[in-house]
Amino acid sequence: MSKTMSKSHNVSEAESCIHGAANRSSRRSERRRADVEDPFGRALEYFSQVKAGTPVKGNDALENNLVLVERVALGRGLPPGAVATLLDFALSLRLGSSVCSRVLKFLIPASAVPQDSVVRGVSWFCMGKMPVSAQILFLRWILTMFDLIDSKDQLRSIYGFIFSFVTDEVLSPYVCHLLYLLTTKEHVQPFRVRKLLEVQAKMGRQPPLTQLLALYKVLCPEMIAISMPSKTRGGFKNHNLPWKTALAAVLKKNKTAEAPSPPLSLDIKEKASTRKRKLHHLEVPQLSCGPEIESSRGKAVHLQQLRSFAQLLQNLDNIELPAQMGSLLSSSLALHYLDCVHDESALLRLNFWLGSVLHEEFLFCSRDGNPENSTEPSQFLDICLSLPQECFSSSEFFLFKFLAMWDGSLHQPQILSLLSDIPPLPVSRMKMFLFEPLQQLYFTSSVFFKCGVIECLRSMLWKWLTWHFVQTSHKELDVSLSSSRTMNLHMSEFLELVTELVQYVGRLASAGLQLENYHILLHHQTLNFYELVCDVYLKFNLPLFLLPPSGVIFPSLLATDPVTVDRLGYVIFRYRQNLMSAKEHKQQKKEPSFHISRDVFREFNLLMVAVVSCLWISKDCQVDVGTDVHKALVPLRTMLSYCKNYNLIHHPAFLNYAIEFHQKCWPEQTNVDLSSIQGKKYWYWYLEFLFSQGFDGLKDFIQNNMDHQSTPVGGH
Amino acid sequence: MMEGRSAMESPVTRLPTRRRTKSYGRSCFEASSRFAYTSGQLTILRIPTTREAPRARNIAERVDPEQVTLLIKNEWKLSYVTPLYRFRHTHLKKYSKHLSAFIAAEKQQGTAVEVGLETGYRVTFSTVLGIAETDEDAETVFIQIQSKPMFAATGDALKVVWSGWLTCVNGSPEYLHSLLPDFVSLPLFCSSGPENITVVVKSWFEKMFDCRFGSLGLDSTSLQWLCALWTGCHPDNNIRYLRLLWTLPTQPPLDVSYTVNPQDAWELWNSVRQEDSVDGTVGIDEVKHFMAGLESHFFRHFKIYLSSGTLRKVSTALGSAQQDGKVKILCSDYLATVLTLLTECAILKMPI
């Protein structure tokens, strides 16, 4: 051991000499330039040149320089060069240990601490001349400034020297802390493990030593076993007391100049729950290295060693995955990393872990009648939702099983969002595992659940469409990516699935609207869904035109709130835009594969006639509402015979506006005769008035469908 | 015979079983279509409706008899395990050292223990060759933990405090094929010993091989299967008694213990065996008929519908099994039959 130590010492000494020499020469030239009138520069020069044995007492020059430098240090911090000079001056003990500790106490760096100065400091430290108090102060200074040291590779290479102080009873806690910060996998060697265990046997369980051992165990579980009692998670004390406030002030002052690199979210989150759960299904394991070294490719880097995002990028190719993939859930960055590596077995491990947690917690585990606090399970589901890998097959299987026994209220928001992550599957499967159980829940639950289901299906459709769009438009660009995530659904199957989903939602919505007495929230959720469906061609390049069923259109058309009618107008307007552009496309390209059924146009025209005749013409609308109007909608049909009362003036949703408009036009008239608005001039003014109220959907609909010259028939 | 009719009379509580079928069967999922990731090929896996009839086999020809006695001596608590990542049958010695250090470290919380040193526990991993039935089955691994008594003299023998084993017998080949080569599937874990050691061993496995454990109960269908299979062995190997334990949902719950004369049970079994059934297989219909026969007989005497309760325990001289997953195998001749059934239950519990 001593051999290796002395060898590494020589190397590092030599290196630091070279660095030091280079630094010194550059410093000298700088100094010469600044020498003209710079008291701070002269003070530094004094400290670098002062001879050992110079008297301290009554030395005015020393005192003045110390005061000067202290003022600068506490004011704006010391530049790296000054830190190096002063550290060297203090630790060399040229003017005794009291000066040394005085200097150390105000040694506040402005930005960074040069590494070689710290290495030199350690070599002074190793000479054994320093009194213990100064040694402790120096170690505490390093621990406080550790994050400011510009790089740590040389410090790591003199790990053995620092390690040798671990047997010193007084220094041991600080040394353990420093080692904890420096240790990498290569440092964990059997002889060191044995040494630490000896120290443990001699001094008992000291928290810093235990922490260091625990780190050794994390890095090399095949050498050492330790289990941390859950109570003593305290870790290390802060040693930054003498410098805390001054350092914080200096760093705050200098912060504006350069922004610090963003913190890395790899740290394991502290366990928030102190309550003892009887079951431990939901515990996310700790990040630790795999027990096998056989596969390590030379310089494998463990996720826990990474401190910054830059480091992650540098080591992207040789990062070693942890022993338990479940531990990745504690860090979103690690999950993104997993996304880039395409490691099949890693994913399968995570898949198994996740699936088993979900199954044990929600399916197999009997609650035995005691209503468990449900925050933890729902937190876990939130984690599942935040995974960048949208849907693990295990969570999909879990959902299919869970739906069969779900009451529709337990963790409703999370479960519905998880459902919306389900990928496209063949229609028969989708029907059996999703549509049927969901339908049962839908019809037996409250209106708010119904809204949730529609929203969930909307977001599911949106994800499928986005996925499809990306797949088709980037086929040539990103073959590797798509090949690993291929969804083996043919285009025709995909179209069939989307059609089935839209029709399914159509059935749910029309029946649900009736059941819930045309609840306004459900109306909006439904129209929200159709706002996605109507734009499928233009936005997602999918030649699919699926109109809402009459059970959705007519209740929306005759709704009592104007926003619903307005949204319906927008939906119909978008359908028209999509159909028009599809028609144009067909005429231009003459592609045989591109086929739109005649029925679509026929159906859409019927829909247009119905809506226009209702809102605009207000003739007796002998609209053929088609045979698809369900028998339950017969009252609607009779209602339609009173259609003249549903033009934009008499429509219950707009009556309010009509009256307001009337009052503005004829303020003196006391009896309101709305039919007077039907005059040509007033009619357009009225429309303008409506548009100014923010009914943009209606505006789009009317301006694109109406001949502006035509007036409502049946006017004056 | 009478059985058919009385089975129709008695209200058969099929709901729980049906739910199981629906929730754990994954006949219908395939991994071929995945949004994000296709990892692990899932293939068709169905709850079997027929099984091979048990045949008495002298297992001592294939397996070391000493090891067999280890397996049939205890009552085992069953668990299922997800596939073990990078488990090697060649590294058992290393695992022994590691687990014993791990147990020692768990015992003295906060004190580190060097791997490979003598601790108070001695762990032995061993392979039980010959239990596996097919080439796909991984070899069974047996773990024994011995401990020095607290105030033992130096010469005292170590005492066995815990034992357990991981096995896979006739595991569904589709499932085993679908796993990646890095994984070893030993889905059935049996343990016997203090619960705290079981917890430590499980947590060690979870840390080492990135797997997960879950308790494995036996649903009434599985218990009925065992009941019929064991009864079928009677001509070759006297079962001496067939004892069934039901719990009926009354207030307070009523436990019914039902012991059947082995000869009667066998005759009933023989009568429900379908003539046209292929030789050497048993169908689920036969098992259901057999159970219905037993239940209707009970109804005739006590006017109690056993089918409204849950079957909790089945025991014969060949072995016993309980609903909460405790199994005892008393006769080694039918080891393969029982383990096949248990392996299947374990695989059905897998999350994917």
Side-chain angles (χ1 to χ4, degrees):
Chain A
M1 184 175 145
S2 63
K3 251 183 205 167
T4 54
M5 266 177 59
S6 64
K7 199 174 166 194
S8 67
H9 188 210
N10 285 340
V11 171
S12 60
E13 271 286 356
E15 272 176 7
S16 69
C17 279
I18 295 164
H19 279 264
N23 276 359
R24 238 170 283 144
S25 65
S26 65
R27 230 178 285 143
R28 206 170 291 147
S29 60
E30 268 174 33
R31 215 176 294 143
R32 234 171 259 138
R33 230 177 294 134
D35 212 19
V36 192
E37 255 320 301
D38 179 14
F40 180 64
R42 262 183 290 134
L44 285 183
E45 198 167 353
Y46 173 83
F47 287 121
S48 64
Q49 286 171 354
V50 65
K51 292 268 184 326
T54 313
V56 179
K57 268 198 182 153
N59 187 342
D60 285 346
L62 171 70
E63 186 59 32
N64 287 344
N65 283 328
L66 276 176
V67 169
L68 176 76
V69 176
E70 184 172 13
R71 208 177 54 229
V72 173
L74 297 179
R76 57 186 154 91
L78 296 164
V83 172
T85 313
L86 285 170
L87 194 63
D88 194 44
F89 162 73
L91 296 179
S92 65
L93 297 177
R94 269 175 280 179
L95 298 185
S97 55
S98 60
V99 176
C100 164
S101 52
R102 185 173 167 189
V103 171
L104 275 177
K105 275 179 187 157
F106 67 70
L107 203 58
I108 308 286
S111 54
V113 177
Q115 179 183 219
D116 49 328
S117 71
V118 180
V119 173
R120 278 175 76 82
V122 173
S123 66
W124 286 116
F125 177 91
C126 291
M127 277 171 70
K129 282 184 184 165
M130 284 164 79
V132 179
S133 62
Q135 282 183 320
I136 292 178
L137 195 65
F138 174 56
L139 285 174
R140 285 168 68 180
W141 183 83
I142 299 183
L143 291 172
T144 310
M145 308 304 169
F146 190 80
D147 289 335
L148 298 175
I149 299 175
D150 48 13
S151 69
K152 279 108 186 171
D153 50 326
Q154 289 180 34
L155 272 177
R156 292 213 165 92
S157 63
I158 55 167
Y159 187 90
F161 287 93
I162 302 168
F163 187 87
S164 65
F165 288 93
V166 86
T167 48
D168 187 311
E169 270 183 53
V170 185
L171 297 179
S172 167
Y174 309 101
V175 171
C176 283
H177 191 171
L178 184 57
L179 291 175
Y180 184 89
L181 295 173
L182 290 173
T183 304
T184 61
K185 198 165 179 171
E186 296 83 67
H187 293 132
V188 184
Q189 297 293 339
F191 65 85
R192 291 206 179 112
V193 170
R194 229 159 281 148
K195 194 81 187 171
L196 287 181
L197 290 175
E198 265 173 40
V199 175
Q200 180 189 251
K202 206 171 78 187
M203 296 198 280
R205 290 180 215 163
Q206 303 237 349
L209 182 66
T210 312
Q211 289 289 336
L212 182 61
L213 281 166
L215 177 67
Y216 273 34
K217 185 226 146 192
V218 162
L219 294 174
C220 284
E222 68 277 3
M223 273 186 220
I224 183 170
I226 185 171
S227 89
M228 297 293 283
S230 48
K231 273 179 259 168
T232 57
R233 285 216 166 174
F236 298 103
K237 278 184 200 145
N238 274 328
H239 304 299
N240 56 6
L241 264 186
W243 304 278
K244 194 177 169 187
T245 41
L247 186 66
V250 167
L251 286 181
K252 199 178 169 191
K253 204 179 273 178
N254 297 344
K255 205 170 219 170
T256 44
E258 47 182 306
S261 64
L264 193 67
S265 61
L266 268 174
D267 299 326
I268 303 156
K269 283 167 204 149
E270 273 299 312
K271 277 270 152 59
S273 66
T274 45
R275 187 174 51 87
K276 237 190 166 176
R277 252 177 85 92
K278 215 169 92 190
L279 308 153
H280 302 282
H281 309 314
L282 301 177
E283 257 174 38
V284 173
Q286 198 196 352
L287 270 174
S288 66
C289 282
E292 308 275 334
I293 336 162
E294 53 187 48
S295 67
S296 61
R297 300 142 290 178
K299 274 184 116 182
V301 182
H302 188 253
L303 274 172
Q304 214 191 28
Q305 285 168 257
L306 300 177
R307 300 262 174 250
S308 70
F309 190 72
Q311 270 182 317
L312 178 80
L313 289 181
Q314 272 169 18
N315 298 303
L316 206 57
D317 292 330
N318 43 9
I319 284 177
E320 195 187 311
L321 288 164
Q324 284 172 284
M325 290 301 288
S327 55
L328 289 189
L329 286 198
S330 55
S331 127
S332 59
L333 202 68
L335 283 166
H336 282 290
Y337 166 71
L338 185 67
D339 225 6
C340 336
V341 291
H342 294 298
D343 186 335
E344 278 276 306
S345 60
L347 282 166
L348 187 56
R349 279 155 71 196
L350 190 53
N351 222 337
F352 268 121
W353 186 85
L354 198 65
S356 135
V357 173
L358 289 170
H359 277 73
E360 283 292 329
E361 178 65 29
F362 299 99
L363 290 173
F364 299 155
C365 167
S366 60
R367 286 279 175 278
D368 291 335
N370 58 328
E372 187 108 22
N373 189 349
S374 64
T375 51
E376 248 172 286
S378 70
Q379 273 169 3
F380 185 80
L381 289 175
D382 282 334
I383 294 178
C384 292
L385 279 171
S386 63
L387 295 181
Q389 292 79 12
E390 274 170 340
C391 186
F392 277 98
S393 49
S394 59
S395 83
E396 178 190 317
F397 296 149
F398 158 72
L399 286 170
F400 288 155
K401 294 174 193 174
F402 189 64
L403 264 186
M405 49 181 77
W406 191 34
D407 60 358
S409 69
L410 187 72
H411 309 304
Q412 187 187 327
Q414 286 90 355
I415 297 290
L416 284 178
S417 325
L418 275 176
L419 280 177
S420 73
D421 279 340
I422 291 179
L425 297 172
V427 175
S428 57
R429 245 160 252 185
M430 224 48 188
K431 271 185 177 166
M432 189 192 295
F433 291 112
L434 184 67
F435 292 172
E436 277 177 22
L438 201 57
Q439 184 170 307
Q440 284 180 15
L441 283 168
Y442 178 87
F443 285 121
T444 51
S445 301
S446 71
V447 64
F448 303 107
F449 181 77
K450 292 191 172 79
C451 292
V453 168
I454 304 275
E455 171 55 26
C456 152
L457 294 171
R458 191 199 71 86
S459 127
M460 180 194 273
L461 178 64
W462 180 77
K463 281 170 192 160
W464 291 356
L465 292 171
T466 312
W467 172 85
H468 167 83
F469 184 70
V470 172
Q471 286 277 303
T472 48
S473 55
H474 297 285
K475 207 164 244 171
E476 316 81 37
L477 293 175
D478 205 352
V479 181
S480 65
L481 192 76
S482 60
S483 68
S484 77
R485 303 174 172 198
T486 312
M487 183 191 67
N488 292 341
L489 277 186
H490 293 295
M491 183 63 181
S492 63
E493 279 179 298
F494 183 70
L495 285 178
E496 190 193 348
L497 179 64
V498 171
T499 312
E500 181 61 36
L501 175 67
V502 173
Q503 285 171 352
Y504 172 70
V505 174
R507 286 195 299 277
L508 287 188
S510 26
L513 280 171
Q514 268 191 60
L515 275 174
E516 298 297 340
N517 207 8
Y518 305 102
H519 197 283
I520 187 162
L521 208 57
L522 193 57
H523 252 314
H524 281 285
Q525 214 56 259
T526 310
L527 288 171
N528 216 4
F529 180 80
Y530 281 103
E531 271 178 23
L532 176 68
V533 175
C534 65
D535 255 347
V536 161
Y537 178 70
L538 281 178
K539 282 194 179 149
F540 299 98
N541 202 15
L542 197 69
L544 203 61
F545 305 92
L546 298 160
L547 296 177
S550 318
V552 170
I553 294 173
F554 290 102
S556 309
L557 182 61
L558 306 179
T560 50
D561 78 307
V563 182
T564 312
V565 183
D566 176 62
R567 290 188 82 173
L568 179 71
Y570 175 75
V571 167
I572 296 175
F573 160 69
R574 290 305 302 176
Y575 269 117
R576 185 168 184 269
Q577 299 298 98
N578 276 266
L579 280 166
M580 297 286 273
S581 88
K583 205 171 171 182
E584 256 170 51
H585 180 83
K586 194 185 174 186
Q587 281 164 356
Q588 281 171 5
K589 293 275 170 80
K590 297 214 161 44
E591 281 174 55
S593 62
F594 191 83
H595 174 74
I596 312 167
S597 158
R598 226 164 234 285
D599 290 347
V600 174
F601 288 103
R602 206 179 56 86
E603 208 185 321
F604 180 74
N605 286 336
L606 266 177
L607 170 68
M608 284 292 289
V609 170
V611 175
V612 168
S613 59
C614 181
L615 291 182
W616 191 269
I617 306 170
S618 87
K619 225 190 212 169
D620 281 338
C621 37
Q622 291 124 359
V623 184
D624 176 20
V625 283
T627 47
D628 61 331
V629 176
H630 197 268
K631 270 189 187 144
L633 293 178
V634 166
L636 249 184
R637 203 191 284 245
T638 52
M639 229 155 79
L640 279 176
S641 61
Y642 301 105
C643 208
K644 73 173 81 158
N645 299 328
Y646 280 95
N647 68 16
L648 279 175
I649 298 166
H650 294 102
H651 194 292
F654 295 102
L655 197 60
N656 210 4
Y657 294 94
I659 292 171
E660 194 185 339
F661 179 74
H662 191 273
Q663 278 171 350
K664 278 188 179 161
C665 283
W666 299 280
E668 68 285 353
Q669 225 162 331
T670 45
N671 59 335
V672 179
D673 176 21
L674 288 179
S675 55
S676 52
I677 302 175
Q678 277 177 344
K680 189 168 187 175
K681 190 172 67 178
Y682 289 113
W683 173 253
Y684 284 108
W685 283 355
Y686 176 60
L687 286 185
E688 288 299 322
F689 171 71
L690 279 184
F691 298 160
S692 74
Q693 301 293 315
F695 294 116
D696 291 338
L698 213 57
K699 187 179 176 184
D700 287 334
F701 173 71
I702 289 174
Q703 289 185 345
N704 279 279
N705 288 314
M706 299 297 159
D707 182 2
H708 268 259
Q709 303 309 314
S710 71
T711 35
V713 184
H716 288 285
Chain B
M1 275 186 70
M2 296 287 282
E3 285 78 30
R5 249 180 87 197
S6 45
M8 280 165 70
E9 280 170 16
S10 58
V12 184
T13 47
R14 300 257 321 258
L15 247 178
T17 33
R18 195 186 296 155
R19 166 165 285 184
R20 290 238 140 159
T21 328
K22 194 163 186 182
S23 51
Y24 306 141
R26 27 206 176 102
S27 49
C28 315
F29 312 136
E30 267 174 25
S32 54
S33 45
R34 221 42 15 112
F35 226 2
Y37 282 105
T38 308
S39 24
Q41 293 298 310
L42 290 153
T43 39
I44 291 167
L45 202 83
R46 237 177 278 134
I47 296 173
T49 51
T50 56
R51 278 172 198 287
E52 219 173 289
R55 268 172 299 146
R57 258 190 309 178
N58 191 1
I59 199 150
E61 287 167 9
R62 302 171 16 160
V63 188
D64 182 3
E66 258 179 59
Q67 287 182 316
V68 173
T69 51
L70 288 175
L71 299 187
I72 63 171
K73 208 169 53 182
N74 291 315
E75 180 175 69
W76 302 106
K77 177 85 188 69
L78 306 180
S79 304
Y80 72 91
V81 202
T82 62
L84 309 177
Y85 176 66
R86 289 198 179 154
F87 178 86
R88 305 262 190 284
H89 282 84
T90 48
H91 290 177
L92 295 186
K93 261 212 179 102
K94 207 173 81 186
Y95 298 155
S96 304
K97 276 186 200 162
H98 204 282
L99 179 56
S100 70
F102 185 79
I103 295 173
E106 284 290 325
K107 287 280 160 192
Q108 31 189 325
Q109 293 271 302
T111 306
V113 177
E114 192 185 347
V115 173
L117 281 191
E118 279 279 313
T119 60
Y121 293 90
R122 206 171 83 189
V123 180
T124 333
F125 276 70
S126 52
T127 317
V128 187
L129 293 169
I131 298 279
E133 291 275 308
T134 63
D135 289 344
E136 272 89 26
D137 292 342
E139 291 292 349
T140 301
V141 175
F142 190 83
I143 307 153
Q144 196 174 51
I145 299 175
Q146 293 162 305
S147 131
K148 273 193 198 103
M150 198 64 111
F151 305 102
T154 40
D156 276 5
L158 294 168
K159 204 175 120 224
V160 176
V161 288
W162 187 92
S163 44
W165 42 301
L166 290 146
T167 191
C168 176
V169 178
N170 281 322
S172 149
E174 288 96 340
Y175 183 76
L176 297 178
H177 273 307
S178 71
L179 288 172
L180 297 171
D182 265 345
F183 291 83
V184 173
S185 184
L186 287 164
L188 184 66
F189 175 70
C190 311
S191 62
S192 152
E195 184 62 21
N196 59 346
I197 301 187
T198 311
V199 169
V200 172
V201 172
K202 281 181 179 176
S203 109
W204 180 79
F205 266 96
E206 286 177 357
K207 289 199 167 82
M208 281 295 271
F209 307 112
D210 206 357
C211 56
R212 292 266 304 182
F213 287 77
S215 67
L216 177 63
L218 297 172
D219 61 2
S220 51
T221 312
S222 307
L223 289 177
Q224 288 171 2
W225 268 113
L226 279 172
C227 175
L229 292 175
W230 274 327
T231 308
C233 301
H234 183 64
D236 306 320
N237 215 322
N238 192 348
I239 61 169
R240 276 188 252 152
Y241 55 87
L242 171 64
R243 193 173 294 140
L244 303 160
L245 184 76
W246 266 275
T247 299
L248 298 177
T250 53
Q251 206 54 260
L254 179 67
D255 283 344
V256 176
S257 180
Y258 183 7
T259 311
V260 187
N261 177 298
Q263 193 59 32
D264 294 349
W266 189 78
E267 274 168 23
L268 177 64
W269 174 240
N270 203 29
S271 71
V272 299
R273 293 281 280 145
Q274 279 157 15
E275 310 241 320
D276 59 338
S277 66
V278 187
D279 199 35
T281 60
V282 178
I284 183 75
D285 298 340
E286 293 166 319
V287 175
K288 293 285 174 195
H289 272 134
F290 175 60
M291 292 312 289
L294 289 172
E295 286 165 8
S296 66
H297 176 74
F298 193 84
F299 178 75
R300 233 168 278 144
H301 286 277
F302 299 101
K303 298 286 177 280
I304 291 175
Y305 290 118
L306 286 175
S307 55
S308 64
T310 40
L311 184 57
R312 291 214 174 274
K313 189 176 176 181
V314 175
S315 58
T316 69
L318 302 183
S320 72
Q322 293 179 40
Q323 192 202 29
D324 59 359
K326 281 185 184 144
V327 168
K328 205 169 191 174
I329 303 167
L330 294 168
C331 174
S332 62
D333 294 356
Y334 303 102
L335 199 62
T337 309
V338 177
L339 290 182
T340 305
L341 186 125
L342 296 178
T343 303
E344 185 191 292
C345 291
I347 290 185
L348 284 174
K349 281 261 188 177
M350 294 293 153
I352 47 173

